[in-house]
Amino acid sequence: MNFLDSEPLYIQVYQKIKIDILAGKLKSGDKLPSKRSLAKHLEISINTVEAAYQQLIAEGYVVSQPKRGVFVQQLESQLPLTKSEIVLKEANSPKWFIDFSQGMIDTDHFPLSQWRKYTNLALDDLANLQLGHYQGEFTLRKEISSYIYEARGVTCSPEQIVIGAGTQYLLKLLLMLFDLGTTVAMEDPGFHRARMSFGEAGMNVLPVTIDKDGLNFNQLYETRAKLFYCTPSHQFPLGAIMPIGDRQKLLQWATEQDSFIIEDDYDGEFRYEGKPIPALQGLDKGKRVIYLGTFSKSLVPAIRLNFLVLPPQLLKRYQENLSHIKQPVSKIHQRSLAFFMQDGHWQRHLNRMRTLYRKKQETLLLALDKYFGDRVKINGEKSGLHIVINVLDTKLTEVELIERAAKVGIKVYPTSIYYIRPVPTYPQLLIGYGGVPLENIPKGIKLLADVWC
């Protein structure tokens, strides 16, 4: 499954099965996997598989036999697909009027002239064309160390920082320090790509429920996990902030269980009521927190520049066992960012973007109130670059809401992919606003109200 694809997940499932039928890989009479087993295998919701199967049934490719399953129909002919037919999906990908993606930023306000200046400065030093230190350039690690202490309360030395190309890369690097089959607990719902990274690394992944009362500590203790992945400053995707009491209990759990906490602080810079919430790592006296930070939300995602802060015992293990792994992030990008931070442009840029995103957040909330009123419940609106809405008093499913939005050129996102346990009975959708032009936000919400209500 391609979760970044512009097409709904059920369409991707439908098209793959359809292509396999037309190509003869699935023959007449073959039984399709049960909806539950396919959903589990693809890590998507049963509703998504149900929608794909219904589309195949409607077009006559398969037939549902009560209490037996879904079977491939006999077709008049099964001609091999041409190459152009197989890639037709890419050519016909819809052009979105508004894409409410949580992964996009406002590129119109990227400080291009300053970035070009510092890139040229980095290129002037021919040594930057060579490979650098496996942990990342020391000048950048020093700047990051100072910044996260001042802004996020993270206490570390530059030597504890490991730079890497994206969250998934760093998670997989981190997991190489642990045995195969290690139990990793994570918030449920939680970041699906982290969950996939844990599974791909051969870890035993167990969910810990997040609900209106916060983290279920009874479940956490029952997992006996050696690692717990969480997003305490802005829970992904629901947006809650972990209260100080739960933070202290979580640190106590890690100490008692001789376990580690992976704190993913993916957008902690953006808080619209009060000051940014200090990182959990700053409260950690037992050195049990692994801090994960990124420049994807705050600067630009394309440079793929993230970082880990390893506690001393894991740093030693990393340096002894993984120093042979080359640094994947461009040395030129690293030096450019270091110059950018040294000259104060980073903090000024962050302040400007915080003001801009606050305006977008306010505009989004006003538009939702105007066009939906009490027909939606909003979660996670106090920080970050996305919100989650519960659509109330509707008979439409999550898939149907996404489909209706797509018909008017609006891309919204499911939350069902973030759940391990059964998803909520009411439809719940994620709406990002960082990359949407300010003037388009009310237009997009009005179109959603037109097709949903």
Side-chain angles (χ1 to χ4, degrees):
M1 300 301 297
N2 183 359
F3 292 96
L4 292 177
D5 198 299
S6 58
E7 285 191 331
L9 295 177
Y10 88 94
I11 290 292
Q12 295 183 47
V13 176
Y14 149 77
Q15 288 179 327
K16 178 64 172 67
I17 296 174
K18 174 182 172 181
I19 287 171
D20 284 350
I21 292 173
L22 292 175
K25 293 181 181 179
L26 288 172
K27 303 184 185 305
S28 174
D30 284 352
K31 184 178 179 180
L32 299 188
S34 71
K35 287 173 282 190
R36 185 176 298 278
S37 65
L38 185 58
K40 182 177 181 180
H41 174 69
L42 296 178
E43 296 186 310
I44 58 179
S45 73
I46 294 176
N47 288 340
T48 299
V49 178
E50 169 68 18
Y53 280 12
Q54 288 300 322
Q55 186 66 31
L56 291 164
I57 291 169
E59 295 184 17
Y61 290 102
V62 300
V63 61
S64 177
Q65 299 181 12
K67 298 184 179 181
R68 292 194 61 210
V70 178
F71 295 82
V72 177
Q73 284 272 62
Q74 176 68 48
L75 303 181
E76 289 293 325
S77 62
Q78 288 186 320
L79 299 176
L81 290 182
T82 66
K83 183 177 180 181
S84 61
E85 288 173 319
I86 292 175
V87 301
L88 185 63
K89 178 174 76 73
E90 181 179 344
N92 290 338
S93 293
K95 300 296 185 289
W96 301 105
F97 169 49
I98 296 173
D99 186 349
F100 283 111
S101 169
Q102 60 86 21
M104 296 173 68
I105 63 163
D106 191 305
T107 56
D108 289 341
H109 291 79
F110 179 72
L112 188 58
S113 60
Q114 289 96 339
W115 189 259
R116 183 181 289 115
K117 169 187 171 182
Y118 293 121
T119 299
N120 289 334
L121 188 59
L123 287 169
D124 285 342
D125 185 351
L126 296 183
N128 291 331
L129 302 182
Q130 302 288 358
L131 291 173
H133 193 276
Y134 66 94
Q135 281 188 226
E137 294 307 292
F138 186 82
T139 52
L140 178 57
R141 287 188 279 140
K142 183 179 178 182
E143 291 299 321
I144 291 173
S145 175
S146 297
Y147 164 69
I148 58 178
Y149 174 71
E150 294 172 4
R152 309 294 299 121
V154 174
T155 56
C156 71
S157 67
E159 288 79 8
Q160 289 176 256
I161 294 174
V162 179
I163 291 170
T167 297
Q168 290 165 283
Y169 169 85
L170 284 174
L171 286 176
K172 290 181 179 181
L173 188 71
L174 173 67
L175 294 171
M176 293 172 71
L177 302 177
F178 296 85
D179 294 334
L180 285 176
T182 294
T183 297
V184 181
M186 66 177 294
E187 298 167 323
D188 187 31
F191 186 39
H192 64 303
R193 291 189 177 88
R195 182 173 76 240
M196 291 175 182
S197 296
F198 300 145
E200 289 165 359
M203 301 299 166
N204 176 35
V205 185
L206 295 178
V208 178
T209 301
I210 296 283
D211 56 27
K212 60 182 177 60
D213 298 318
L215 183 66
N216 188 319
F217 280 93
N218 288 333
Q219 287 182 9
L220 178 59
Y221 273 92
E222 288 170 1
T223 66
R224 300 186 177 275
K226 302 310 290 182
L227 287 164
F228 176 60
Y229 172 86
C230 60
T231 50
S233 292
H234 188 221
Q235 200 279 329
F236 188 86
L238 300 181
I241 297 168
M242 185 181 290
I244 184 64
D246 281 3
R247 291 174 184 240
Q248 292 171 333
K249 288 169 65 176
L250 186 56
L251 292 170
Q252 181 181 348
W253 166 84
T255 300
E256 291 175 356
Q257 302 295 310
D258 191 26
S259 300
F260 291 96
I261 301 162
I262 305 172
E263 177 183 15
D264 189 348
D265 195 19
Y266 66 98
D267 67 358
E269 294 90 353
F270 301 112
R271 178 164 166 77
Y272 310 120
E273 291 184 12
K275 295 181 179 180
I277 303 299
L280 177 67
Q281 195 268 6
L283 300 173
D284 179 25
K285 306 302 181 185
K287 309 302 180 185
R288 312 306 303 179
V289 176
I290 304 158
Y291 181 83
L292 179 59
T294 180
F295 289 92
S296 290
K297 303 281 190 184
S298 52
L299 185 63
V300 59
I303 62 173
R304 308 304 296 141
L305 207 158
N306 296 51
F307 58 93
L308 278 175
V309 177
L310 293 175
Q313 58 269 51
L314 290 183
L315 177 64
K316 184 175 185 293
R317 199 184 302 177
Y318 165 75
Q319 291 174 334
E320 290 175 350
N321 295 285
L322 300 180
S323 62
H324 63 283
I325 298 178
K326 298 293 186 182
Q327 172 56 231
V329 178
S330 161
K331 190 174 178 180
I332 295 168
H333 284 334
Q334 292 185 61
R335 294 304 299 273
S336 300
L337 180 54
F339 290 140
F340 188 76
M341 297 178 80
Q342 286 168 355
D343 285 358
H345 290 295
W346 161 247
Q347 192 60 57
R348 288 192 286 273
H349 171 70
L350 199 55
N351 291 339
R352 286 193 297 268
M353 298 311 293
R354 192 179 288 120
T355 299
L356 174 64
Y357 290 141
R358 181 182 288 110
K359 289 181 181 177
K360 291 190 176 189
Q361 177 250 22
E362 291 170 351
T363 301
L364 174 61
L365 296 181
L366 287 171
L368 285 168
D369 181 62
K370 178 178 180 180
Y371 295 113
F372 282 94
D374 58 5
R375 289 176 293 182
V376 296
K377 178 185 176 184
I378 301 170
N379 302 291
E381 73 277 12
K382 295 181 180 179
S383 57
L385 300 182
H386 76 271
I387 62 170
V388 168
I389 60 170
N390 300 340
V391 184
L392 309 175
D393 298 325
T394 181
K395 295 182 179 179
L396 299 175
T397 66
E398 179 189 82
V399 169
E400 290 168 336
L401 290 168
I402 291 172
E403 285 181 339
R404 290 196 178 194
K407 288 179 180 178
V408 291
I410 307 297
K411 175 93 169 140
V412 293
Y413 292 81
T415 61
S416 57
I417 61 174
Y418 304 122
Y419 286 84
I420 299 176
R421 290 193 169 97
V423 302
T425 54
Y426 47 80
Q428 192 180 66
L429 296 166
L430 187 148
I431 295 182
Y433 51 86
V436 182
L438 185 65
E439 65 275 11
N440 280 353
I441 292 175
K443 297 176 184 176
I445 298 303
K446 182 180 186 302
L447 285 170
L448 290 178
D450 290 343
V451 295
W452 286 355
C453 299

